[in-house]
Amino acid sequence: MTEKKAQLTMDGIDEPIELPVYEGSTGPDVVDVRSLVAKGIFTYDPGFMSTASCDSAITYIDGSKGVLLYRGYPIEQLAEKSDFMECCYLLLNGKLPDSEEKATFIDNIKHHTMVHEQICNLFTSFPRHAHPMAVMIGAVGALSAFYHDDLKINNIEHRKAVAVRLIAKIPTLAAMTYKYSIGQPFMYPRNELSFSENFLHMMFATPCEEYVPNPVLADAMDKIFLLHADHEQNASTSTVRLAGSTGANPYACISSGITALWGPSHGGANEAVLTMLNEIGDISHIPDYIKRVKDKNDPVKLMGFGHRVYKNFDPRAHVLRDAAKNVMKEMGIENDPLLPIAKELERIALEDDYFIERNLYPNVDFYSGIILKAIGIPTNLFTVIFATGRTPGWVAHWHEMISNPFKIGRPRQLYTGPTQRDYPG
Ligand code: CMC
C-alpha cells in the first residue's frame, strides 16, 4: 500500500524491528504488527482502543470531527435525501442503486419478509415477560436451522440471499416479539407498504380493524433505521466478524451480534436512557443525580451520553434531535413530563466542566429513545429496533470479510496466572 515504515526497539532485542505502515483512503495510519508473533512478542490493547482488526471499505468515522460516512456519503446527506432501503443497498453493494436496481432490491426484500410458520411455535416456548432481546437472539439464531444445509458461504449469490433474508425477516421477528409479549396475534407483512410503514403495521395493527401507518412516524422510523445501519467495527459488528471468521452459519453469527448489542454500553443504552429519565422522575432531582454521576464510587452513568469514538459530537444525534421535535408535535405530546428532564440533562452536559472535559455529548441513543417512546414503542423493545436497523451493517461486514482472504479471529493475551506447578500428592 505504501513505503512508510515504523521501527520497534525493545530491551532484549539486538536489532530494531521494522514494521510496515499502511495508509487508508482517509483516517489514521496503521502499523502492521503481524510479524511480531514470530519474534515472540504480542501487542497489548485491551478494549481494542488502538487496534485495526481488518481492512474495510464500508463505513468511515472521524470521531474528533463528528463525521460518519456510509461508503463515502455523509450521514446527514443520506438522512435528508436517501432512505433505509437505499442505504441497505449502498452498504451491501458499495454504490447507490439506480431507480431500477432500487425497485428490484425493495421488491426482493418485500418477498422475503415472512418467516417460516414453524418459527411461530418457537415463540410460544418463551415466557411472555421475556426480554425482547432474549427472544430475538433465539429467533434469529433459529433461522440458522432453516437455512443451513444448502448454504455455501463462499458462493456470492448465497451470501446476497442471506443479506436479503436477514434485512427482510428481522423486522418481522422484532414485531412478533412484541406481539407475543402482549398476547396479540402476529400480523403478517403487507407488500403494498414501505419497509418502515410495514414495520409499524406489524407492530401496531390488529386483525380487527384497518391500520393506516402515520407518514410522520414512518419517516422517523426510517431515519432511526438509517442512522443505525452501520458504525464500522463496533462491539456487535466485531462480534459478527469474529463469529463469521470461523465459517459459522451467518444467521447464527448475526444472532451473536444481537447478543453483543444488548449490553447497556452499546445498543442497550437507548432503553437505559428511558429507565434513567423515569428514575430521575422530576427536574428537581437532577442535581442529586448529576452528583452521583460524578462520584467515582457510584457506578451510575448518564445514559445516552459519551461515545468511544465520537469525542466532539455524534452526527446521528444531531439528525435525530430535529426528528424528535417533529414526532412530538405530530403525537401532540410536547408536554411529556420526561422531556424537560431530557432537555435539562442535555443542557448540563453541554455546559458543565465534568462533561466538557470528558467530551460527553448526547449520543444517538439519547434522542432515539425519546422518539421511540413517542411512537409508542415499549422501552424494552428499543434495542430490538437498533438491531433491526443495524442488520444491513452486520451483513455487509460479514459479506465483505468472506469475500476477501481472512483468518479466523484469535486474539492473544498477557498471561498473569500461575506458571506450571505440580498437582499435589
Ligand atoms: N456518564 C458519566 N461519565 C461518563 C460517561 C457517562 N455516560 N461516559 C464516560 N464517562 C466518564 C468515565 O467515567 C471516565 O471518567 P474518568 O476519566 O474520570 O475516569 C471518562 O468519562 C472516560 O470514559 P470511558 O468509560 O473511559 O470511555 P469509553 O470510551 O470507554 O466509553 C461509553 C464509552 C459509550 C461506553 C461510555 O461513554 C458510556 O458508558 N456511555 C453511556 C452508555 C451509552 O450511552 N452508550 C451508547 C453509545 S452510542 C450507541 C452505540 O454506538 O453503541
Side-chain angles (χ1 to χ4, degrees), residues 119-412:
I119 293 264
C120 304
N121 302 337
L122 179 86
F123 275 82
T124 58
S125 57
F126 284 99
R128 298 252 181 212
H129 64 265
H131 193 286
M133 283 297 276
V135 181
M136 282 300 281
I137 291 163
V140 175
L143 292 178
S144 62
F146 292 85
Y147 307 105
H148 184 66
D149 292 342
D150 301 334
L151 176 60
K152 309 259 178 295
I153 59 169
N154 292 320
N155 180 325
I156 184 166
E157 294 311 320
H158 286 209
R159 289 203 298 279
K160 284 185 178 171
V162 166
V164 165
R165 282 204 187 102
L166 280 162
I167 294 168
K169 292 184 198 306
I170 284 189
T172 308
L173 294 173
M176 287 170 80
T177 301
Y178 174 55
K179 288 298 196 191
Y180 180 70
S181 75
I182 55 170
Q184 284 189 4
F186 300 136
M187 295 301 293
Y188 285 101
R190 295 198 64 96
N191 285 356
E192 77 277 16
L193 299 175
S194 73
F195 183 89
S196 296
E197 287 171 341
N198 180 51
F199 181 68
L200 291 176
H201 154 80
M202 292 189 295
M203 284 285 297
F204 298 120
T206 66
C208 315
E209 56 194 13
E210 195 61 28
Y211 174 83
V212 181
N214 178 319
V216 175
L217 304 191
D219 186 57
M221 265 328 303
D222 202 78
K223 276 205 174 44
I224 287 180
F225 290 141
L226 182 155
L227 293 168
H228 285 87
D230 194 38
H231 218 224
E232 51 116 309
Q233 312 308 325
N234 55 84
S236 56
T237 303
S238 297
T239 302
V240 170
R241 278 189 180 258
L242 193 57
S245 77
T246 68
N249 179 293
Y251 299 91
C253 294
I254 300 300
S255 174
S256 72
I258 297 176
T259 307
L261 186 74
W262 192 1
S265 297
H266 192 8
N270 52 14
E271 176 178 345
V273 168
L274 260 285
T275 309
M276 173 188 76
L277 294 177
N278 278 313
E279 197 183 315
I280 295 175
D282 189 88
I283 202 159
S284 63
H285 301 148
I286 290 182
D288 280 347
Y289 198 81
I290 295 288
K291 225 181 260 168
R292 287 186 62 197
V293 167
K294 292 180 181 177
D295 180 357
K296 285 261 164 273
N297 300 316
D298 195 323
V300 86
K301 275 188 172 173
L302 213 48
M303 300 315 287
F305 290 79
H307 199 273
R308 166 59 63 80
V309 181
Y310 295 119
K311 296 301 177 196
N312 199 334
F313 65 93
D314 180 342
R316 305 168 299 174
H318 276 195
V319 176
L320 282 192
R321 191 177 46 199
D322 295 338
K325 285 181 200 146
N326 292 343
V327 171
M328 299 291 169
K329 200 163 158 217
E330 178 66 19
M331 301 305 280
I333 48 169
E334 288 139 307
N335 297 329
D336 185 317
L338 296 186
L339 268 190
I341 304 175
K343 279 189 183 149
E344 179 60 5
L345 288 178
E346 186 186 25
R347 187 195 65 75
I348 290 172
L350 297 176
E351 290 176 9
D352 184 307
D353 282 348
Y354 175 92
F355 298 96
I356 294 171
E357 279 161 16
R358 290 169 180 75
N359 301 310
L360 301 171
Y361 300 88
N363 60 44
V364 66
D365 286 328
F366 186 65
Y367 298 106
S368 67
I370 292 170
I371 295 179
L372 292 172
K373 176 173 187 272
I375 290 177
I377 306 228
T379 311
N380 65 0
L381 215 82
F382 287 4
T383 315
V384 171
I385 304 290
F386 191 153
T388 306
R390 183 55 56 87
T391 300
W394 288 330
V395 192
H397 282 273
W398 171 79
H399 176 52
E400 181 182 64
M401 181 179 69
I402 307 283
S403 309
N404 293 290
F406 67 96
K407 283 192 169 297
I408 182 172
R410 177 57 170 92
R412 306 306 294 259

Side-chain angles (χ1 to χ4, degrees), residues 15-59:
E15 295 279 308
I17 303 170
E18 211 157 79
L19 301 168
V21 177
Y22 306 138
E23 282 175 21
S25 44
T26 181
D29 290 350
V30 172
V31 181
D32 182 347
V33 295
R34 283 176 294 179
S35 61
L36 293 182
V37 64
K39 298 182 178 5
I41 302 167
F42 297 152
T43 55
Y44 181 63
D45 186 19
F48 308 117
M49 309 272 289
S50 300
T51 294
S53 61
C54 60
D55 301 3
S56 182
I58 300 174
T59 289

